[in-house]
Amino acid sequence: NKIAIAPTASISIITGGAAGMGRIACERFAAEGAKVVVADANGEAAAEVADAINAAGGTAAASAVDVREAAQVEAMIKVAVDSWGGLDILYNNAGVSPGDAGTPLETSEETWDFTFDVNVKCLFLCCRYGIQAMLDSGGVSIVNVASFVAHMGAATPQVAYTSSKGAVLAMTQE
């Protein structure tokens, strides 16, 4: 069965779009007819995904972005607006789960801050700079990627990741 997940001709930004679930979302959205900004901290990989989408007949652009930095997130939104005139879908997929995170006794403050900056602050920044562009385009569709661990906890200690994904759920509800 073919399930349409992106309206035809929509303009989408997918963070963390150069690998894993983000890349799959970029490819699928483009296959459904969306124009896609492949946004990733790895600008070279984002460009490779955008090139592959364009070579397959889709429409994509790349944006190298550190989602923890307001000016870079604002520039990422501008790629969609300048390239295609607006923004319809913001898919907040970028996330990290550092290997050195564990229990509160094992997790460093630096790991905690890094995890929350990537997994939570980026949602705030993407919404802060993306919502107005989406309203100007006539609609808003925001997808925030969380995890089941936000509800159930993890099988192994990963307090920073689990807590950050709980914050993603709370922010989405807000």
Side-chain angles (χ1 to χ4, degrees):
N1 293 333
K2 186 173 183 180
I3 300 170
I5 58 172
T8 301
S10 68
I11 301 165
S12 306
I13 294 175
I14 301 174
T15 65
M21 293 185 332
R23 181 178 182 141
I24 291 167
C26 289
E27 292 168 345
R28 181 65 188 263
F29 273 49
E32 294 287 337
K35 297 173 179 78
V36 179
V37 175
V38 181
D40 203 279
N42 184 336
E44 186 175 305
E48 290 173 6
V49 173
D51 289 346
I53 289 170
N54 290 323
T59 304
S63 178
V65 59
D66 180 341
V67 292
R68 302 170 297 168
E69 300 294 331
Q72 291 187 37
V73 170
E74 192 171 16
M76 173 191 73
I77 302 299
K78 193 169 170 31
V79 170
V81 173
D82 289 352
S83 296
W84 303 301
L87 178 60
D88 303 308
I89 298 171
L90 181 58
Y91 192 122
N92 294 313
N93 174 70
V96 295
S97 181
D100 63 340
T103 69
L105 297 174
E106 301 163 336
T107 302
S108 70
E109 187 174 344
E110 292 77 20
T111 295
W112 178 272
D113 289 345
F114 174 68
T115 305
F116 268 76
D117 281 354
V118 174
N119 294 357
V120 182
K121 182 181 176 185
C122 83
L123 295 181
F124 166 71
L125 292 175
C126 287
C127 289
R128 179 180 184 137
Y129 295 105
I131 287 174
Q132 189 60 56
M134 297 171 84
L135 291 172
D136 292 345
S137 296
V140 175
S141 185
I142 300 172
V143 178
N144 294 327
V145 176
S147 171
F148 73 92
V149 301
H151 292 290
M152 302 175 63
T156 59
Q158 50 182 358
V159 67
Y161 178 77
T162 300
S163 298
S164 73
K165 291 304 181 174
V168 168
L169 291 180
M171 182 180 268
T172 302
Q173 291 171 339
E174 181 65 21

